[in-house]
Amino acid sequence: MKSEIKEKIEFLRAELHRHNHNYYVLSTSVISDYEYDMLLKELAELETKYPEFDAPDSPTKRVGSDINKEFSQVRHKYPMLSLGNTYNIGELRDFDGRIRRFLGENADYQYVCELKYDGTAISLNYKNGKLAQAVTRGDGEQGDNVTDNARTIRTIPQDISAFSKDFPAEFEIRGEVLMPRKVFDNLNIERTEAGESPMANPRNAASGALKLQNSAQTAKRKLDAFLYFMMSENLPTNSHYDNLQRAKSWGFKTPDHTRRVNTIDEVFEFINYWDTARKDLEYDIDGIVIKVDDLTLQERLGATGKSPRWAISYKFKAEEACTKLLSVDFQVGRTGAITPVANLEPVQLAGTVVKRASLHNADVMRALDVRIGDSVYVEKGGEIIPKITRIEPSLRTAESVEFQYATHCPECGTELVRSDEEANHYCPNPNCPPQIKGKIEHFVGRKAMDINMGEATVKALFDAGYVKTIADLYDLSREQILKLDGFKEKSAQNLLESLGESKLVPFERVLFGIGIRFVGATVAKNLAKAFKTIDNLANADLETLTHIDEIGERIAQSVIDFFKNEENRIIINRLKSAGLQFEIVETESASDKLKGASIVLSGTFAKHSRDELKAIIERNGGKNVSSVSKSTDYFLAGDKVGPSKFAKVNEFGIKIISEDDLLEMVK
Ligand code: IVH
């Protein structure tokens, strides 16, 4: 009996260690937070009941650590505790009951309800109003010193002494660094375009960005921060809520949606409201945090181990569905990267029918231990494609066999390779058909050459043997095009004209289009600006390249490798002969009527696309910025602008203009 318990305890520890590793090292969680908590709870209960099996390295003794060796370590003045989790109303009533019992039936107390931001925790130290140090949570006792990176986050004030004077000489303020969903989506679009694998969710993207070695890179990730907790020997008031209001008046970005309530029933109302309304937020939240407002009561309640007794979180249940895994396809991208994609028995999830889900890479598949025929849970997280979060072991059949990851390219049969630093396998054959088609599709795409040609035409041209490289596109004849299914005189003419027009596409877009690995649209722009011509770029060495904005060693090496390759050089020469733009043409700005004005665009517009409006702003000396701040000059409002946006614009007193107003201004 005892040996069975010991075995169970060891099993739970091993499982929890494995999940910790998945979460903190591989950045993929294969079980939900809820299941993790349940395993942890089961282990803690057994350890309390059977202290003879206690162990100092048990997962119950430590919370996951995000310490990174590259940063210096700082000990927290006050440990950074975590919160106990609850998942249903009953558990919350229990929490309320415990508080009442502890404080006495007649105690008078209020709760503060806050959103639980799904990002990464940060602690900021201010001395005489100036940001002195920013530290990650680490293991709760000590964390990474990420001050330089935190300084790049625009919503973290560097110096509050300009705003007011009534703040304590020394205080610490804690909060969550997060990446807005839109920024996350754009980052992933850019990563995919540059041939990199997408990030799993905004939380990982935020914590990854906060820990980049180069703070200039962090700045590009457009992180945001909400501050929700203040500590000091001289706090301004005795209420958590009021202190946060003070912090707001000192210039901190504190949560907008916080409410102070009198009863647990009002807490439930808050939860019910946000369970639906969270879909409309600009960032992910994964629950609600409930805190006792009065600091004296907080102190009386104290903490148990690693979490306070005066606060708790309520976690929303992610919408998930259980379905059967029918098969796994291995897709080959234009860079040769292999992505496993699950084919599922269609299932209804959050208003859509899900048939496919991403399985990311071999490590993730192994961690999930997923087999064909398994019942699997799919969840829609921050990402567009749903993902498989875990399997249902009780529904696994006896015949199921461990899944074998592909060893050879499903398209051309070449043996796959995988380097140590990469999560994905690659097909190393440059002539692998989906890679060729993918490169052509990328080249003709809207952000690159914008040639009027869809996937089907690319396939037809490739299958007919007319186009094997992007350079072949410019040798196409009318006769060849007319031989393709569905092409008539008029459509062939359109295609030829579109190819002709693409010869005017500016250098930076051509550079993006030729598909150098890791060179996304923004990097291409910077390279074009810095080198002016393709020949300068082709001759640049590693040092020169890494001096350019946003170019690290990895990108620089990839550029060098690209131009070293004889086949690539031939393609570039053929494109040059075809008349494409391989030099930057300096365009004078049309006017300086918007000189220095920073303008935020929002909504949809009647006369121009957003890209056109951005170009108009830039050509007239203005600057298009993505989010509203105190320094925004104009808010260019189209249709369908949300009320919360307008509220913010009004709060900052920003001038609102219409599309017509803008056009009038630059006339
Ligand atoms: S208060 C002692 N408030 O959740 C309480 N935490 O498991 C300290 N979080 O590490 C935390 N939103 O990263 C608090 N409104 C909020 C929060 C919040 C998100 C995170 C934070 C913390 C974790 C607790």
Side-chain angles (χ1 to χ4, degrees):
M1 171 64 194
K2 276 253 159 145
S3 71
E4 265 169 41
I5 286 160
K6 185 162 180 251
E7 233 169 70
K8 177 83 195 175
I9 287 181
E10 275 164 7
F11 168 77
L12 287 170
R13 283 183 190 150
E15 276 297 282
L16 287 159
H17 280 309
R18 185 168 72 88
H19 293 309
N20 271 334
H21 178 77
N22 285 337
Y23 189 83
Y24 288 104
V25 183
L26 304 179
S27 287
T28 50
S29 27
V30 295
I31 59 170
S32 65
D33 290 356
Y34 174 72
E35 284 171 308
Y36 182 90
D37 287 347
M38 290 302 120
L39 291 176
L40 197 65
K41 198 165 146 206
E42 192 180 350
L43 177 60
E45 278 166 11
L46 285 173
E47 285 177 350
T48 322
K49 215 163 152 197
Y50 302 96
E52 62 269 42
F53 299 131
D54 211 8
D57 62 347
S58 168
T60 52
K61 303 271 185 302
R62 59 187 278 268
V63 282
S65 164
D66 63 357
I67 289 181
N68 185 324
K69 285 183 234 51
E70 316 285 335
F71 291 97
S72 67
Q73 301 299 302
V74 178
R75 187 155 284 280
H76 295 297
K77 188 166 172 196
Y78 314 90
M80 279 182 91
L81 302 178
S82 61
L83 294 168
N85 292 328
T86 58
Y87 294 92
N88 57 52
I89 299 301
E91 288 175 341
L92 264 188
R93 280 207 190 279
D94 292 346
F95 165 77
D96 184 47
R98 282 197 300 276
I99 304 259
R100 196 157 344 105
R101 268 197 310 282
F102 199 96
L103 298 176
E105 274 313 313
N106 299 322
D108 187 18
Y109 56 91
Q110 290 181 301
Y111 287 122
V112 179
C113 306
E114 292 172 12
L115 305 187
K116 186 168 192 305
Y117 303 98
D118 201 7
T120 183
I122 191 129
S123 158
L124 307 170
N125 283 281
Y126 283 82
K127 293 211 169 90
N128 298 321
K130 291 194 172 51
L131 175 63
Q133 202 166 46
V135 187
T136 65
R137 171 152 177 266
D139 61 6
E141 298 291 330
Q142 56 174 24
D144 291 331
N145 181 348
V146 290
T147 314
D148 289 343
N149 287 352
R151 287 194 199 282
T152 69
I153 301 175
R154 279 176 292 177
T155 38
I156 293 182
Q158 306 271 340
D159 184 355
I160 56 170
S161 55
F163 283 91
S164 72
K165 298 279 174 245
D166 63 340
F167 48 81
E170 258 185 58
F171 65 93
E172 190 173 327
I173 189 160
R174 290 178 181 173
E176 201 82 352
V177 169
L178 41 89
M179 184 176 280
R181 257 182 238 147
K182 229 202 220 129
V183 176
F184 172 77
D185 290 341
N186 287 337
L187 175 71
N188 267 353
I189 291 173
E190 276 200 22
R191 283 178 72 95
T192 319
E193 279 170 359
E196 293 180 76
S197 51
M199 295 264 189
N201 54 47
R203 187 204 320 121
N204 288 351
S207 90
L210 188 62
K211 293 205 198 172
L212 289 171
Q213 291 302 314
N214 175 345
S215 51
Q217 295 297 325
T218 308
K220 301 264 154 63
R221 299 289 168 91
K222 302 200 186 82
L223 296 173
D224 204 345
F226 280 107
L227 300 163
Y228 47 61
F229 193 44
M230 199 179 357
M231 271 160 301
S232 165
E233 260 114 64
N234 313 298
L235 284 171
T237 82
N238 207 30
S239 141
H240 165 69
Y241 185 85
D242 294 339
N243 284 343
L244 284 187
Q245 299 303 316
R246 290 291 177 91
K248 188 178 206 136
S249 74
W250 303 336
F252 286 104
K253 179 162 175 177
T254 54
D256 307 325
H257 305 296
T258 301
R259 269 190 58 200
R260 184 159 50 188
V261 301
N262 292 312
T263 63
I264 194 77
D265 289 319
E266 285 173 87
V267 173
F268 299 151
E269 276 170 33
F270 188 85
I271 288 175
N272 281 341
Y273 175 76
W274 283 107
D275 198 5
T276 357
R278 67 185 160 126
K279 295 188 185 72
D280 303 322
L281 288 169
E282 285 170 7
Y283 38 80
D284 282 356
I285 61 170
D286 62 343
I288 298 295
V289 182
I290 300 110
K291 300 175 180 169
V292 171
D293 185 45
D294 186 302
L295 300 190
T296 318
L297 297 184
Q298 283 190 5
E299 207 166 307
R300 271 179 60 197
L301 284 156
T304 59
K306 53 178 193 177
S307 33
R309 275 200 207 90
W310 46 263
I312 202 142
S313 83
Y314 172 89
K315 294 268 206 128
F316 294 130
K317 240 183 149 18
E319 270 189 88
E320 63 171 16
C322 191
T323 186
K324 201 163 165 179
L325 174 64
L326 302 175
S327 62
V328 174
D329 287 341
F330 290 95
Q331 288 184 347
V332 190
R334 78 176 155 90
T335 60
I338 306 289
T339 315
V341 178
N343 293 311
L344 306 165
E345 212 162 74
V347 63
Q348 195 75 29
L349 174 64
T352 53
V353 176
V354 174
K355 292 186 201 131
R356 282 158 81 76
S358 171
L359 280 163
H360 297 282
N361 56 47
D363 285 342
V364 170
M365 285 186 68
R366 194 166 324 111
L368 286 165
D369 179 26
V370 51
R371 301 176 186 181
I372 306 295
D374 271 347
S375 294
V376 295
Y377 289 93
V378 277
E379 216 175 73
K380 265 194 193 162
E383 54 271 55
I384 306 152
I385 311 166
K387 66 173 178 195
I388 294 182
T389 52
R390 65 203 157 100
I391 63 155
E392 178 51 64
S394 66
L395 294 177
R396 176 171 279 176
T397 59
E399 306 89 69
S400 82
V401 279
E402 213 174 296
F403 187 80
Q404 296 301 321
Y405 202 81
T407 53
H408 291 77
C409 177
E411 302 279 345
C412 72
T414 309
E415 191 171 352
L416 300 180
V417 293
R418 183 185 180 186
S419 72
D420 291 344
E421 316 90 80
E422 307 256 11
N424 289 82
H425 285 69
Y426 280 86
C427 167
N429 172 17
N431 297 317
C432 174
Q435 290 188 50
I436 298 179
K437 282 183 274 182
K439 284 191 177 97
I440 299 168
E441 279 160 20
H442 171 77
F443 181 77
V444 302
R446 216 169 54 82
K447 282 191 174 173
M449 306 305 286
D450 197 15
I451 296 166
N452 194 359
M453 175 188 295
E455 223 173 280
T457 308
V458 171
K459 182 176 182 316
L461 288 169
F462 176 81
D463 290 346
Y466 298 152
V467 178
K468 294 203 189 66
T469 74
I470 51 177
D472 296 337
L473 286 168
Y474 295 94
D475 292 341
L476 277 175
S477 65
R478 181 181 307 272
E479 292 67 43
Q480 284 176 325
I481 299 174
L482 282 171
K483 281 197 198 130
L484 301 179
D485 261 359
F487 273 89
K488 301 244 164 56
E489 228 10 272
K490 178 88 183 110
S491 44
Q493 181 60 27
N494 284 346
L495 178 50
L496 285 168
E497 272 173 21
S498 178
L499 279 161
E501 280 163 18
S502 77
K503 294 178 183 174
L504 297 174
V505 163
F507 176 39
E508 62 194 46
R509 275 170 52 195
V510 179
L511 189 55
F512 169 61
I514 59 177
I516 305 174
R517 194 150 177 231
F518 305 134
V519 176
T522 322
V523 170
K525 212 181 217 172
N526 291 348
L527 287 173
K529 231 200 243 158
F531 289 98
K532 309 278 192 284
T533 74
I534 192 112
D535 294 337
N536 289 344
L537 178 64
N539 293 325
D541 59 15
L542 198 75
E543 215 200 311
T544 324
L545 280 161
T546 45
H547 273 102
I548 311 299
D549 221 15
E550 259 187 88
I551 315 291
E553 224 163 84
R554 194 181 54 138
I555 300 177
Q557 194 55 53
S558 166
V559 171
I560 290 173
D561 292 346
F562 180 89
F563 288 107
K564 239 197 242 154
N565 180 308
E566 179 66 27
E567 280 174 41
N568 288 338
R569 284 212 301 269
I570 293 173
I571 291 175
I572 301 290
N573 282 334
R574 286 179 59 200
L575 292 175
K576 267 189 195 167
S577 317
L580 270 62
Q581 305 291 321
F582 280 105
E583 287 183 14
I584 210 161
V585 183
E586 306 276 1
T587 46
E588 301 263 313
S589 61
S591 86
D592 55 6
K593 291 194 172 127
L594 300 174
K595 193 165 178 194
S598 92
I599 304 177
V600 171
L601 258 82
S602 187
T604 53
F605 297 92
K607 294 189 180 149
H608 292 278
S609 73
R610 291 170 70 94
D611 283 339
E612 283 166 0
L613 288 170
K614 283 180 196 169
I616 291 173
I617 292 171
E618 278 170 20
R619 252 191 286 122
N620 290 283
K623 206 167 115 204
N624 169 244
V625 290
S626 57
S627 62
V628 176
S629 74
K630 284 191 293 286
S631 52
T632 308
D633 296 301
Y634 298 104
F635 184 77
L636 178 52
D639 280 343
K640 302 196 188 114
V641 179
S644 64
K645 270 257 171 70
F646 274 125
K648 209 160 158 196
V649 168
N650 288 329
E651 186 188 321
F652 289 126
I654 297 162
K655 184 156 192 225
I656 300 173
I657 54 171
S658 67
E659 184 179 19
D660 285 337
D661 293 335
L662 179 87
L663 298 175
E664 190 58 36
M665 282 158 80
V666 300
K667 216 158 122 189

